[in-house]
Amino acid sequence: MLRISKLTDYATVLMAEMQSSLDEPRSATVLADQARLELPTTAKVLKILAKSGLVRSIRGVNGGYQLVRPAREISIAAIIRAMEGPIALTECGLEPGTCPREQDCSLRSNWRRIGATVEQALDAMTLADLAAPNSTTEDGHIAERNVDQRLKIVARNQA
Amino acid sequence: MLRISKLTDYATVLMAEMQSSLDEPRSATVLADQARLELPTTAKVLKILAKSGLVRSIRGVNGGYQLVRPAREISIAAIIRAMEGPIALTECGLEPGTCPREQDCSLRSNWRRIGATVEQALDAMTLADLAAPNSTTEDGHIAERNVDQRLKIVARNQA
DNA sequence: CTAAAATAAGACTTAATTGGTACTAATTGA
DNA sequence: TCAATTAGTACCAATTAAGTCTTATTTTAG
């Protein structure tokens, strides 16, 4: 269904939660509580993020996790890559032997092209954009937000 | 990894193969042979596509499958939806009770917005674009193709 | 009109991935 | 030295995807 995994979703929630206190670290227990997630799952996600360098981990008493960079400098694509690996729509990115036919290869090449564009859009969008609150106008429409503006910028650069 | 399933990938290969003979149907056996895919898998994919109305199935002797519309009128998004259901990056599209926190909801809303843009791009791209062969210039660069042009059009409309 | 062959449609089984949990080791500060 | 905290590894469960098999339907031929 062209989706990101649950763990990646949790990662965005946790990192959005973390952006409020850049100065001092918060433990996995506290973050799990604030994000309303299970502790074991939270710990797992934070470990993966720490290993990839998106968050800093501090051991010992009064230790915990914190963002290494402000939210506006962390792209959505970086979070997805940290949690799930390289972004690709089709899985034949590294296995050339799987491709049995010549005509298929043009399909794969075009799939990669589409995937690259999607990745570019996700690279232009930041954690700060994603965590920005919604504002609904009185006629029920949702006001334009950072997300939209980012997407437009990507669109302009593409064209 | 933000990917489509193998079956969806097979579907694009099979439908690209089918576009060459819009007039008379080809059996699952023939299509499997031409696409170099296993027969049972091919049959399964064709059944799903037939059920969703993207291909027509004809029973009996000399029966088979054929596209209902020309390839340029079939969007990539339609194929993905036929094979995998609604396109969404996060899976909380229909379950409002899962969302435990207020702040999270702004994340979800923004995720949906991003997903909608991806879907729009995939809706503007057709099977004919995807199946278009590659042309590489002498300096190693890949010449601009339909896929690029479609993406640019989407980008312009977005902006 | 009957029967056989070809074919699609549906149910089922197996494999793989993901999500979630638990346990042990290492580190830090009091 | 003890308590708090993360790091790493391994494991189990559940969901999903992939592939296989059996049944039902249609068409042509005799």
Side-chain angles (χ1 to χ4, degrees), chain B residues 79-114:
Chain B
I79 300 176
I80 296 177
R81 277 191 294 264
M83 297 299 298
E84 313 187 15
I87 294 177
L89 267 66
T90 56
E91 61 178 308
C92 98
L94 302 173
E95 308 162 24
T98 319
C99 193
R101 220 179 174 204
E102 293 302 309
Q103 186 194 355
D104 302 353
C105 288
S106 64
L107 291 181
R108 301 285 149 75
S109 172
N110 283 329
W111 269 124
R112 272 205 301 276
R113 230 168 164 69
I114 296 169

PDB file of all heavy atoms in Angstrom, chain B residues 79-114:
ATOM      1  N   ILE B  79      -3.246   1.122 -10.959  1.00  0.00           N
ATOM      2  CA  ILE B  79      -2.701  -0.239 -10.845  1.00  0.00           C
ATOM      3  C   ILE B  79      -2.353  -0.550  -9.400  1.00  0.00           C
ATOM      4  O   ILE B  79      -2.667  -1.630  -8.887  1.00  0.00           O
ATOM      5  CB  ILE B  79      -1.458  -0.393 -11.751  1.00  0.00           C
ATOM      6  CG1 ILE B  79      -1.831  -0.127 -13.213  1.00  0.00           C
ATOM      7  CG2 ILE B  79      -0.857  -1.781 -11.605  1.00  0.00           C
ATOM      8  CD1 ILE B  79      -0.647  -0.153 -14.170  1.00  0.00           C
ATOM      9  N   ILE B  80      -1.718   0.392  -8.735  1.00  0.00           N
ATOM     10  CA  ILE B  80      -1.350   0.186  -7.326  1.00  0.00           C
ATOM     11  C   ILE B  80      -2.600   0.006  -6.475  1.00  0.00           C
ATOM     12  O   ILE B  80      -2.679  -0.897  -5.643  1.00  0.00           O
ATOM     13  CB  ILE B  80      -0.514   1.368  -6.803  1.00  0.00           C
ATOM     14  CG1 ILE B  80       0.821   1.442  -7.556  1.00  0.00           C
ATOM     15  CG2 ILE B  80      -0.273   1.238  -5.303  1.00  0.00           C
ATOM     16  CD1 ILE B  80       1.692   2.607  -7.158  1.00  0.00           C
ATOM     17  N   ARG B  81      -3.602   0.849  -6.716  1.00  0.00           N
ATOM     18  CA  ARG B  81      -4.843   0.723  -5.947  1.00  0.00           C
ATOM     19  C   ARG B  81      -5.512  -0.614  -6.207  1.00  0.00           C
ATOM     20  O   ARG B  81      -6.062  -1.242  -5.294  1.00  0.00           O
ATOM     21  CB  ARG B  81      -5.787   1.871  -6.291  1.00  0.00           C
ATOM     22  CG  ARG B  81      -5.500   3.155  -5.524  1.00  0.00           C
ATOM     23  CD  ARG B  81      -6.635   4.154  -5.718  1.00  0.00           C
ATOM     24  NE  ARG B  81      -6.716   4.613  -7.091  1.00  0.00           N
ATOM     25  CZ  ARG B  81      -6.173   5.738  -7.559  1.00  0.00           C
ATOM     26  NH1 ARG B  81      -5.514   6.523  -6.731  1.00  0.00           N
ATOM     27  NH2 ARG B  81      -6.280   6.083  -8.817  1.00  0.00           N
ATOM     28  N   ALA B  82      -5.471  -1.071  -7.448  1.00  0.00           N
ATOM     29  CA  ALA B  82      -6.098  -2.350  -7.783  1.00  0.00           C
ATOM     30  C   ALA B  82      -5.417  -3.496  -7.046  1.00  0.00           C
ATOM     31  O   ALA B  82      -6.065  -4.422  -6.566  1.00  0.00           O
ATOM     32  CB  ALA B  82      -6.044  -2.578  -9.293  1.00  0.00           C
ATOM     33  N   MET B  83      -4.110  -3.432  -6.951  1.00  0.00           N
ATOM     34  CA  MET B  83      -3.359  -4.538  -6.356  1.00  0.00           C
ATOM     35  C   MET B  83      -3.267  -4.449  -4.837  1.00  0.00           C
ATOM     36  O   MET B  83      -3.264  -5.460  -4.142  1.00  0.00           O
ATOM     37  CB  MET B  83      -1.946  -4.568  -6.927  1.00  0.00           C
ATOM     38  CG  MET B  83      -1.878  -4.836  -8.424  1.00  0.00           C
ATOM     39  SD  MET B  83      -2.568  -6.441  -8.886  1.00  0.00           S
ATOM     40  CE  MET B  83      -1.476  -7.548  -8.014  1.00  0.00           C
ATOM     41  N   GLU B  84      -3.202  -3.241  -4.283  1.00  0.00           N
ATOM     42  CA  GLU B  84      -2.885  -3.105  -2.863  1.00  0.00           C
ATOM     43  C   GLU B  84      -3.902  -2.318  -2.062  1.00  0.00           C
ATOM     44  O   GLU B  84      -3.745  -2.171  -0.854  1.00  0.00           O
ATOM     45  CB  GLU B  84      -1.523  -2.412  -2.708  1.00  0.00           C
ATOM     46  CG  GLU B  84      -0.462  -2.991  -3.615  1.00  0.00           C
ATOM     47  CD  GLU B  84       0.912  -2.418  -3.325  1.00  0.00           C
ATOM     48  OE1 GLU B  84       1.077  -1.807  -2.269  1.00  0.00           O
ATOM     49  OE2 GLU B  84       1.806  -2.598  -4.156  1.00  0.00           O
ATOM     50  N   GLY B  85      -4.904  -1.788  -2.706  1.00  0.00           N
ATOM     51  CA  GLY B  85      -5.875  -0.994  -1.978  1.00  0.00           C
ATOM     52  C   GLY B  85      -5.482   0.473  -1.961  1.00  0.00           C
ATOM     53  O   GLY B  85      -4.597   0.894  -2.693  1.00  0.00           O
ATOM     54  N   PRO B  86      -6.137   1.256  -1.113  1.00  0.00           N
ATOM     55  CA  PRO B  86      -5.909   2.699  -1.062  1.00  0.00           C
ATOM     56  C   PRO B  86      -4.444   3.052  -0.817  1.00  0.00           C
ATOM     57  O   PRO B  86      -3.765   2.385  -0.049  1.00  0.00           O
ATOM     58  CB  PRO B  86      -6.776   3.152   0.120  1.00  0.00           C
ATOM     59  CG  PRO B  86      -7.814   2.116   0.256  1.00  0.00           C
ATOM     60  CD  PRO B  86      -7.177   0.820  -0.175  1.00  0.00           C
ATOM     61  N   ILE B  87      -3.999   4.090  -1.460  1.00  0.00           N
ATOM     62  CA  ILE B  87      -2.622   4.543  -1.298  1.00  0.00           C
ATOM     63  C   ILE B  87      -2.530   5.467  -0.084  1.00  0.00           C
ATOM     64  O   ILE B  87      -3.233   6.459  -0.007  1.00  0.00           O
ATOM     65  CB  ILE B  87      -2.151   5.290  -2.560  1.00  0.00           C
ATOM     66  CG1 ILE B  87      -2.077   4.307  -3.743  1.00  0.00           C
ATOM     67  CG2 ILE B  87      -0.789   5.939  -2.329  1.00  0.00           C
ATOM     68  CD1 ILE B  87      -1.694   4.964  -5.052  1.00  0.00           C
ATOM     69  N   ALA B  88      -1.693   5.095   0.869  1.00  0.00           N
ATOM     70  CA  ALA B  88      -1.490   5.922   2.056  1.00  0.00           C
ATOM     71  C   ALA B  88      -0.136   5.607   2.658  1.00  0.00           C
ATOM     72  O   ALA B  88       0.284   4.455   2.673  1.00  0.00           O
ATOM     73  CB  ALA B  88      -2.582   5.672   3.083  1.00  0.00           C
ATOM     74  N   LEU B  89       0.532   6.639   3.148  1.00  0.00           N
ATOM     75  CA  LEU B  89       1.846   6.406   3.743  1.00  0.00           C
ATOM     76  C   LEU B  89       1.721   5.861   5.157  1.00  0.00           C
ATOM     77  O   LEU B  89       2.412   4.932   5.535  1.00  0.00           O
ATOM     78  CB  LEU B  89       2.670   7.696   3.732  1.00  0.00           C
ATOM     79  CG  LEU B  89       3.568   7.864   2.514  1.00  0.00           C
ATOM     80  CD1 LEU B  89       2.750   8.013   1.249  1.00  0.00           C
ATOM     81  CD2 LEU B  89       4.495   9.040   2.677  1.00  0.00           C
ATOM     82  N   THR B  90       0.833   6.459   5.933  1.00  0.00           N
ATOM     83  CA  THR B  90       0.572   5.916   7.265  1.00  0.00           C
ATOM     84  C   THR B  90      -0.729   5.130   7.226  1.00  0.00           C
ATOM     85  O   THR B  90      -1.580   5.358   6.379  1.00  0.00           O
ATOM     86  CB  THR B  90       0.462   7.044   8.302  1.00  0.00           C
ATOM     87  OG1 THR B  90      -0.552   7.944   7.883  1.00  0.00           O
ATOM     88  CG2 THR B  90       1.767   7.787   8.424  1.00  0.00           C
ATOM     89  N   GLU B  91      -0.865   4.209   8.163  1.00  0.00           N
ATOM     90  CA  GLU B  91      -2.016   3.324   8.085  1.00  0.00           C
ATOM     91  C   GLU B  91      -3.200   3.788   8.912  1.00  0.00           C
ATOM     92  O   GLU B  91      -4.217   3.112   8.983  1.00  0.00           O
ATOM     93  CB  GLU B  91      -1.621   1.918   8.516  1.00  0.00           C
ATOM     94  CG  GLU B  91      -1.130   1.827   9.935  1.00  0.00           C
ATOM     95  CD  GLU B  91      -0.793   0.388  10.301  1.00  0.00           C
ATOM     96  OE1 GLU B  91      -1.654  -0.471  10.094  1.00  0.00           O
ATOM     97  OE2 GLU B  91       0.314   0.136  10.774  1.00  0.00           O
ATOM     98  N   CYS B  92      -3.075   4.946   9.540  1.00  0.00           N
ATOM     99  CA  CYS B  92      -4.200   5.418  10.341  1.00  0.00           C
ATOM    100  C   CYS B  92      -5.073   6.328   9.490  1.00  0.00           C
ATOM    101  O   CYS B  92      -5.219   7.516   9.713  1.00  0.00           O
ATOM    102  CB  CYS B  92      -3.736   6.115  11.599  1.00  0.00           C
ATOM    103  SG  CYS B  92      -3.650   7.875  11.580  1.00  0.00           S
ATOM    104  N   GLY B  93      -5.676   5.773   8.468  1.00  0.00           N
ATOM    105  CA  GLY B  93      -6.558   6.560   7.624  1.00  0.00           C
ATOM    106  C   GLY B  93      -8.005   6.370   8.013  1.00  0.00           C
ATOM    107  O   GLY B  93      -8.832   7.250   7.839  1.00  0.00           O
ATOM    108  N   LEU B  94      -8.309   5.191   8.548  1.00  0.00           N
ATOM    109  CA  LEU B  94      -9.703   4.866   8.854  1.00  0.00           C
ATOM    110  C   LEU B  94      -9.933   4.616  10.334  1.00  0.00           C
ATOM    111  O   LEU B  94     -11.058   4.414  10.752  1.00  0.00           O
ATOM    112  CB  LEU B  94     -10.120   3.625   8.060  1.00  0.00           C
ATOM    113  CG  LEU B  94      -9.972   3.736   6.546  1.00  0.00           C
ATOM    114  CD1 LEU B  94     -10.251   2.388   5.893  1.00  0.00           C
ATOM    115  CD2 LEU B  94     -10.917   4.785   5.992  1.00  0.00           C
ATOM    116  N   GLU B  95      -8.855   4.629  11.117  1.00  0.00           N
ATOM    117  CA  GLU B  95      -9.011   4.321  12.539  1.00  0.00           C
ATOM    118  C   GLU B  95      -8.704   5.558  13.382  1.00  0.00           C
ATOM    119  O   GLU B  95      -7.563   5.823  13.697  1.00  0.00           O
ATOM    120  CB  GLU B  95      -8.068   3.192  12.936  1.00  0.00           C
ATOM    121  CG  GLU B  95      -8.192   1.985  12.025  1.00  0.00           C
ATOM    122  CD  GLU B  95      -6.969   1.087  12.160  1.00  0.00           C
ATOM    123  OE1 GLU B  95      -6.317   1.139  13.203  1.00  0.00           O
ATOM    124  OE2 GLU B  95      -6.684   0.350  11.215  1.00  0.00           O
ATOM    125  N   PRO B  96      -9.721   6.304  13.755  1.00  0.00           N
ATOM    126  CA  PRO B  96      -9.485   7.514  14.554  1.00  0.00           C
ATOM    127  C   PRO B  96      -9.229   7.191  16.017  1.00  0.00           C
ATOM    128  O   PRO B  96      -8.663   7.982  16.736  1.00  0.00           O
ATOM    129  CB  PRO B  96     -10.797   8.280  14.387  1.00  0.00           C
ATOM    130  CG  PRO B  96     -11.821   7.219  14.151  1.00  0.00           C
ATOM    131  CD  PRO B  96     -11.130   6.077  13.461  1.00  0.00           C
ATOM    132  N   GLY B  97      -9.604   6.024  16.470  1.00  0.00           N
ATOM    133  CA  GLY B  97      -9.426   5.693  17.873  1.00  0.00           C
ATOM    134  C   GLY B  97      -8.000   5.355  18.245  1.00  0.00           C
ATOM    135  O   GLY B  97      -7.624   5.361  19.407  1.00  0.00           O
ATOM    136  N   THR B  98      -7.190   5.023  17.252  1.00  0.00           N
ATOM    137  CA  THR B  98      -5.817   4.627  17.521  1.00  0.00           C
ATOM    138  C   THR B  98      -4.976   5.815  17.967  1.00  0.00           C
ATOM    139  O   THR B  98      -4.021   5.659  18.710  1.00  0.00           O
ATOM    140  CB  THR B  98      -5.191   4.012  16.254  1.00  0.00           C
ATOM    141  OG1 THR B  98      -6.152   3.174  15.636  1.00  0.00           O
ATOM    142  CG2 THR B  98      -3.968   3.201  16.615  1.00  0.00           C
ATOM    143  N   CYS B  99      -5.353   6.976  17.470  1.00  0.00           N
ATOM    144  CA  CYS B  99      -4.565   8.174  17.746  1.00  0.00           C
ATOM    145  C   CYS B  99      -4.779   8.626  19.185  1.00  0.00           C
ATOM    146  O   CYS B  99      -5.836   9.129  19.544  1.00  0.00           O
ATOM    147  CB  CYS B  99      -4.995   9.280  16.782  1.00  0.00           C
ATOM    148  SG  CYS B  99      -3.887  10.679  16.725  1.00  0.00           S
ATOM    149  N   PRO B 100      -3.770   8.493  20.044  1.00  0.00           N
ATOM    150  CA  PRO B 100      -3.997   8.754  21.468  1.00  0.00           C
ATOM    151  C   PRO B 100      -3.769  10.199  21.873  1.00  0.00           C
ATOM    152  O   PRO B 100      -4.272  10.632  22.888  1.00  0.00           O
ATOM    153  CB  PRO B 100      -2.975   7.858  22.149  1.00  0.00           C
ATOM    154  CG  PRO B 100      -1.867   7.729  21.147  1.00  0.00           C
ATOM    155  CD  PRO B 100      -2.417   8.047  19.785  1.00  0.00           C
ATOM    156  N   ARG B 101      -3.066  10.951  21.059  1.00  0.00           N
ATOM    157  CA  ARG B 101      -2.693  12.263  21.537  1.00  0.00           C
ATOM    158  C   ARG B 101      -3.035  13.376  20.548  1.00  0.00           C
ATOM    159  O   ARG B 101      -3.099  13.150  19.338  1.00  0.00           O
ATOM    160  CB  ARG B 101      -1.192  12.308  21.829  1.00  0.00           C
ATOM    161  CG  ARG B 101      -0.938  13.086  23.087  1.00  0.00           C
ATOM    162  CD  ARG B 101       0.500  13.134  23.426  1.00  0.00           C
ATOM    163  NE  ARG B 101       0.668  14.013  24.570  1.00  0.00           N
ATOM    164  CZ  ARG B 101       1.781  14.649  24.865  1.00  0.00           C
ATOM    165  NH1 ARG B 101       2.816  14.502  24.102  1.00  0.00           N
ATOM    166  NH2 ARG B 101       1.858  15.425  25.901  1.00  0.00           N
ATOM    167  N   GLU B 102      -3.216  14.541  21.063  1.00  0.00           N
ATOM    168  CA  GLU B 102      -3.598  15.659  20.209  1.00  0.00           C
ATOM    169  C   GLU B 102      -2.476  16.035  19.249  1.00  0.00           C
ATOM    170  O   GLU B 102      -2.693  16.233  18.058  1.00  0.00           O
ATOM    171  CB  GLU B 102      -3.946  16.873  21.077  1.00  0.00           C
ATOM    172  CG  GLU B 102      -5.199  16.683  21.905  1.00  0.00           C
ATOM    173  CD  GLU B 102      -6.407  16.374  21.046  1.00  0.00           C
ATOM    174  OE1 GLU B 102      -6.649  17.113  20.097  1.00  0.00           O
ATOM    175  OE2 GLU B 102      -7.100  15.377  21.317  1.00  0.00           O
ATOM    176  N   GLN B 103      -1.285  16.122  19.785  1.00  0.00           N
ATOM    177  CA  GLN B 103      -0.175  16.559  18.958  1.00  0.00           C
ATOM    178  C   GLN B 103       0.088  15.589  17.801  1.00  0.00           C
ATOM    179  O   GLN B 103       0.482  15.987  16.710  1.00  0.00           O
ATOM    180  CB  GLN B 103       1.094  16.698  19.800  1.00  0.00           C
ATOM    181  CG  GLN B 103       2.257  17.295  18.997  1.00  0.00           C
ATOM    182  CD  GLN B 103       3.561  17.108  19.731  1.00  0.00           C
ATOM    183  OE1 GLN B 103       3.568  16.623  20.841  1.00  0.00           O
ATOM    184  NE2 GLN B 103       4.660  17.488  19.092  1.00  0.00           N
ATOM    185  N   ASP B 104      -0.129  14.321  18.096  1.00  0.00           N
ATOM    186  CA  ASP B 104       0.098  13.320  17.065  1.00  0.00           C
ATOM    187  C   ASP B 104      -0.783  13.586  15.855  1.00  0.00           C
ATOM    188  O   ASP B 104      -0.388  13.345  14.726  1.00  0.00           O
ATOM    189  CB  ASP B 104      -0.208  11.929  17.617  1.00  0.00           C
ATOM    190  CG  ASP B 104       0.649  11.642  18.838  1.00  0.00           C
ATOM    191  OD1 ASP B 104       1.525  12.461  19.134  1.00  0.00           O
ATOM    192  OD2 ASP B 104       0.427  10.610  19.470  1.00  0.00           O
ATOM    193  N   CYS B 105      -1.979  14.038  16.105  1.00  0.00           N
ATOM    194  CA  CYS B 105      -2.934  14.195  15.024  1.00  0.00           C
ATOM    195  C   CYS B 105      -2.424  15.180  13.969  1.00  0.00           C
ATOM    196  O   CYS B 105      -2.728  15.026  12.792  1.00  0.00           O
ATOM    197  CB  CYS B 105      -4.280  14.666  15.572  1.00  0.00           C
ATOM    198  SG  CYS B 105      -5.119  13.343  16.472  1.00  0.00           S
ATOM    199  N   SER B 106      -1.698  16.182  14.389  1.00  0.00           N
ATOM    200  CA  SER B 106      -1.160  17.096  13.391  1.00  0.00           C
ATOM    201  C   SER B 106      -0.135  16.362  12.533  1.00  0.00           C
ATOM    202  O   SER B 106      -0.027  16.602  11.332  1.00  0.00           O
ATOM    203  CB  SER B 106      -0.538  18.311  14.058  1.00  0.00           C
ATOM    204  OG  SER B 106       0.568  17.923  14.842  1.00  0.00           O
ATOM    205  N   LEU B 107       0.591  15.450  13.133  1.00  0.00           N
ATOM    206  CA  LEU B 107       1.524  14.632  12.359  1.00  0.00           C
ATOM    207  C   LEU B 107       0.763  13.825  11.323  1.00  0.00           C
ATOM    208  O   LEU B 107       1.114  13.794  10.156  1.00  0.00           O
ATOM    209  CB  LEU B 107       2.296  13.683  13.275  1.00  0.00           C
ATOM    210  CG  LEU B 107       3.307  14.276  14.242  1.00  0.00           C
ATOM    211  CD1 LEU B 107       3.973  13.176  15.035  1.00  0.00           C
ATOM    212  CD2 LEU B 107       4.334  15.084  13.497  1.00  0.00           C
ATOM    213  N   ARG B 108      -0.277  13.160  11.765  1.00  0.00           N
ATOM    214  CA  ARG B 108      -1.056  12.311  10.867  1.00  0.00           C
ATOM    215  C   ARG B 108      -1.635  13.108   9.722  1.00  0.00           C
ATOM    216  O   ARG B 108      -1.629  12.703   8.573  1.00  0.00           O
ATOM    217  CB  ARG B 108      -2.183  11.619  11.644  1.00  0.00           C
ATOM    218  CG  ARG B 108      -1.708  10.765  12.773  1.00  0.00           C
ATOM    219  CD  ARG B 108      -1.106   9.458  12.278  1.00  0.00           C
ATOM    220  NE  ARG B 108      -0.047   8.969  13.175  1.00  0.00           N
ATOM    221  CZ  ARG B 108      -0.245   8.404  14.354  1.00  0.00           C
ATOM    222  NH1 ARG B 108      -1.459   8.233  14.808  1.00  0.00           N
ATOM    223  NH2 ARG B 108       0.763   8.004  15.083  1.00  0.00           N
ATOM    224  N   SER B 109      -2.157  14.263  10.069  1.00  0.00           N
ATOM    225  CA  SER B 109      -2.747  15.116   9.041  1.00  0.00           C
ATOM    226  C   SER B 109      -1.698  15.509   8.001  1.00  0.00           C
ATOM    227  O   SER B 109      -1.960  15.493   6.794  1.00  0.00           O
ATOM    228  CB  SER B 109      -3.338  16.359   9.703  1.00  0.00           C
ATOM    229  OG  SER B 109      -3.741  17.283   8.729  1.00  0.00           O
ATOM    230  N   ASN B 110      -0.529  15.846   8.464  1.00  0.00           N
ATOM    231  CA  ASN B 110       0.535  16.220   7.528  1.00  0.00           C
ATOM    232  C   ASN B 110       1.016  15.016   6.720  1.00  0.00           C
ATOM    233  O   ASN B 110       1.354  15.147   5.545  1.00  0.00           O
ATOM    234  CB  ASN B 110       1.694  16.852   8.295  1.00  0.00           C
ATOM    235  CG  ASN B 110       1.399  18.280   8.684  1.00  0.00           C
ATOM    236  OD1 ASN B 110       0.689  18.982   7.973  1.00  0.00           O
ATOM    237  ND2 ASN B 110       1.925  18.717   9.816  1.00  0.00           N
ATOM    238  N   TRP B 111       1.044  13.854   7.349  1.00  0.00           N
ATOM    239  CA  TRP B 111       1.400  12.640   6.618  1.00  0.00           C
ATOM    240  C   TRP B 111       0.416  12.387   5.480  1.00  0.00           C
ATOM    241  O   TRP B 111       0.789  12.016   4.365  1.00  0.00           O
ATOM    242  CB  TRP B 111       1.415  11.424   7.555  1.00  0.00           C
ATOM    243  CG  TRP B 111       2.738  11.128   8.183  1.00  0.00           C
ATOM    244  CD1 TRP B 111       3.008  11.031   9.520  1.00  0.00           C
ATOM    245  CD2 TRP B 111       3.982  10.857   7.514  1.00  0.00           C
ATOM    246  NE1 TRP B 111       4.330  10.745   9.707  1.00  0.00           N
ATOM    247  CE2 TRP B 111       4.955  10.625   8.513  1.00  0.00           C
ATOM    248  CE3 TRP B 111       4.362  10.787   6.178  1.00  0.00           C
ATOM    249  CZ2 TRP B 111       6.282  10.333   8.202  1.00  0.00           C
ATOM    250  CZ3 TRP B 111       5.686  10.509   5.876  1.00  0.00           C
ATOM    251  CH2 TRP B 111       6.623  10.280   6.881  1.00  0.00           C
ATOM    252  N   ARG B 112      -0.841  12.550   5.784  1.00  0.00           N
ATOM    253  CA  ARG B 112      -1.861  12.344   4.748  1.00  0.00           C
ATOM    254  C   ARG B 112      -1.662  13.305   3.593  1.00  0.00           C
ATOM    255  O   ARG B 112      -1.854  12.969   2.423  1.00  0.00           O
ATOM    256  CB  ARG B 112      -3.257  12.529   5.342  1.00  0.00           C
ATOM    257  CG  ARG B 112      -3.824  11.262   5.940  1.00  0.00           C
ATOM    258  CD  ARG B 112      -5.352  11.288   5.960  1.00  0.00           C
ATOM    259  NE  ARG B 112      -5.865  12.412   6.720  1.00  0.00           N
ATOM    260  CZ  ARG B 112      -6.015  12.401   8.040  1.00  0.00           C
ATOM    261  NH1 ARG B 112      -5.695  11.343   8.725  1.00  0.00           N
ATOM    262  NH2 ARG B 112      -6.495  13.449   8.656  1.00  0.00           N
ATOM    263  N   ARG B 113      -1.292  14.532   3.945  1.00  0.00           N
ATOM    264  CA  ARG B 113      -1.076  15.551   2.922  1.00  0.00           C
ATOM    265  C   ARG B 113       0.069  15.152   2.000  1.00  0.00           C
ATOM    266  O   ARG B 113      -0.015  15.302   0.783  1.00  0.00           O
ATOM    267  CB  ARG B 113      -0.756  16.866   3.613  1.00  0.00           C
ATOM    268  CG  ARG B 113      -1.601  17.993   3.110  1.00  0.00           C
ATOM    269  CD  ARG B 113      -1.502  19.216   3.970  1.00  0.00           C
ATOM    270  NE  ARG B 113      -2.022  20.339   3.223  1.00  0.00           N
ATOM    271  CZ  ARG B 113      -3.292  20.487   2.920  1.00  0.00           C
ATOM    272  NH1 ARG B 113      -4.161  19.566   3.286  1.00  0.00           N
ATOM    273  NH2 ARG B 113      -3.691  21.523   2.225  1.00  0.00           N
ATOM    274  N   ILE B 114       1.129  14.659   2.601  1.00  0.00           N
ATOM    275  CA  ILE B 114       2.273  14.218   1.809  1.00  0.00           C
ATOM    276  C   ILE B 114       1.868  13.042   0.921  1.00  0.00           C
ATOM    277  O   ILE B 114       2.179  12.997  -0.270  1.00  0.00           O
ATOM    278  CB  ILE B 114       3.442  13.813   2.740  1.00  0.00           C
ATOM    279  CG1 ILE B 114       3.922  15.029   3.533  1.00  0.00           C
ATOM    280  CG2 ILE B 114       4.581  13.194   1.944  1.00  0.00           C
ATOM    281  CD1 ILE B 114       4.889  14.688   4.653  1.00  0.00           C
TER     282      ILE B 114
END
